Amino acid sequence: MNDTREDLITQTVINRLQTTVDPRLRRISEAVVRHLHALVREVEPTQEEWRQAVDFLTRTGRMCSDTRQEFILLSDTLGISMLVDAVNHRYPLGATETTVLGPFYVEGPQSFDQGADISGGMSGVPMLVRGSVAAADGTPLAGAILDVWHADDQGFYDVQHGVDRRAGRGRLQTDAEGRFACWSVRPVSYPIPHDGPVGRMLEAQGRHPYRPAHVHFMIAAPGFETLVTHLFISGDPYLTSDAVFGVKDSIIVDLIDHPAGAAPDGRELAVPFVELAFDFRLAPVHARA
Ligand code: BEZ
Ligand code: FE
């Protein structure tokens, strides 16, 4: 069958895909064709609109480099990254909820001792980050590897400053009771990179590019699914309009304000500081609710 009339072309193309050897790839290819053909039937783009769409994707590709992934930003800002995250993390009740990794994670961060300062000279209000890591049933997890990273009080990650110096990121290991603690600085809300086609798209859609203030975590322990998540700071004006749809109520945390003086970990501070505390719960490997 080779009927290319408007109502039959979708099936014609799908028939042609039956030679795809890999069954998963065949299924994905069929779905791509079905959904894109349905999009065209729904929108009925003009030839000029179709040319603009191709041009948009071309510019998106041209914006990509070793340090910039415009297609992931596109996926993030259309909610696709969070949907992929959701279908892959149907965890049992009790496990901490996941969210997007984002583009600012750096592999193999520097390891720090408990209570160390990981700010690397970043500017901002001192922030004590502390808590625990446990299994979803509450059993403490000793020796879990916890990577933490965040923006500074200007809304930039270290890697965006264009220098090699690492700041506001590090790796900790939980102690015998599953606890962790480090010092850094309080991050603020910031815009995702918006000087490319995705930024133009957000403008055209009347959307802002901001993410509410947050701290990223990646937590790994043998026998458990690696948890990729953030803690969002309550009260942030962008919590209900995160440009990448990453916010979940269960990972919004109240920052505790402290006056200058003795911190809960015994450190003496000459200036007021804040505390971000959270108890993480990991899902067992292959756990799917
Ligand atoms: C981030 O939180 O680091 C991030 C996530 C998605 C897109 C841009 C930034
Ligand atoms: Fe971030």
Side-chain angles (χ1 to χ4, degrees):
M1 174 188 161
N2 194 34
D3 201 323
T4 57
R5 279 173 293 175
E6 183 179 330
D7 53 338
L8 293 172
I9 188 165
T10 304
Q11 194 53 51
T12 300
V13 177
I14 287 174
N15 290 346
R16 196 80 63 84
L17 298 175
Q18 299 318 302
T19 47
T20 312
V21 176
D22 182 329
R24 178 72 176 158
L25 181 60
R26 186 165 64 239
R27 183 166 178 210
I28 293 169
S29 303
E30 284 182 17
V32 167
V33 169
R34 263 190 288 108
H35 288 274
L36 289 180
H37 283 218
L39 173 78
V40 171
R41 289 198 171 86
E42 180 183 328
V43 177
E44 297 187 343
T46 62
Q47 298 280 3
E48 173 54 18
E49 286 168 336
W50 180 241
R51 192 200 60 73
Q52 284 177 18
V54 171
D55 182 56
F56 173 75
L57 292 175
T58 305
R59 283 184 286 116
T60 300
R62 289 202 176 122
M63 196 77 196
C64 293
S65 68
D66 287 350
T67 53
R68 175 76 176 257
Q69 232 307 345
E70 194 75 359
F71 275 112
I72 294 185
L73 283 182
L74 182 59
S75 158
D76 293 340
T77 49
L78 293 179
I80 298 166
S81 302
M82 280 303 287
L83 187 54
V84 172
D85 184 70
V87 300
N88 281 281
H89 300 111
R90 294 183 182 124
Y91 286 165
L93 223 57
T96 302
E97 288 195 281
T98 55
T99 187
V100 283
L101 175 68
F104 301 122
Y105 178 66
V106 175
E107 298 277 348
Q110 184 185 344
S111 291
F112 288 91
D113 291 335
Q114 291 288 347
D117 184 345
I118 67 160
S119 69
M122 268 181 161
S123 58
V125 174
M127 176 175 71
L128 172 62
V129 183
R130 65 172 185 157
S132 65
V133 179
D137 66 2
T139 309
L141 294 177
I145 303 294
L146 181 143
D147 290 351
V148 52
W149 69 104
H150 63 82
D152 59 17
D153 68 349
Q154 307 298 306
F156 292 109
Y157 287 80
D158 53 359
V159 290
Q160 293 178 289
H161 287 297
V163 287
D164 274 347
R165 188 174 59 83
R166 293 284 163 263
R169 67 178 71 238
R171 174 167 288 176
L172 301 169
Q173 200 162 4
T174 55
D175 68 12
E177 277 82 46
R179 291 174 308 204
F180 65 89
C182 65
W183 283 89
S184 198
V185 296
R186 176 189 180 145
V188 297
S189 42
Y190 64 83
I192 62 168
H194 61 111
D195 56 343
V198 170
R200 299 295 75 70
M201 179 191 79
L202 293 176
E203 268 167 29
Q205 293 169 341
R207 294 166 62 189
H208 67 72
Y210 279 85
R211 299 215 63 206
H214 58 273
V215 178
H216 292 256
F217 293 87
M218 183 187 295
I219 307 177
F224 293 85
E225 297 279 353
T226 295
L227 172 66
V228 175
T229 194
H230 310 351
L231 294 180
F232 293 95
I233 297 174
S234 69
D236 191 288
Y238 297 110
L239 280 171
T240 52
S241 61
D242 181 4
V244 306
F245 305 96
V247 179
K248 293 174 176 174
D249 286 349
S250 67
I251 47 176
I252 301 174
V253 177
D254 291 332
L255 270 190
I256 306 164
D257 285 306
H258 290 277
D265 68 344
R267 189 178 278 230
E268 278 292 326
L269 273 96
V271 291
F273 62 97
V274 294
E275 180 185 347
L276 177 69
F278 196 79
D279 296 318
F280 294 97
R281 298 278 183 268
L282 304 194
V285 163
H286 303 315
R288 295 277 188 272

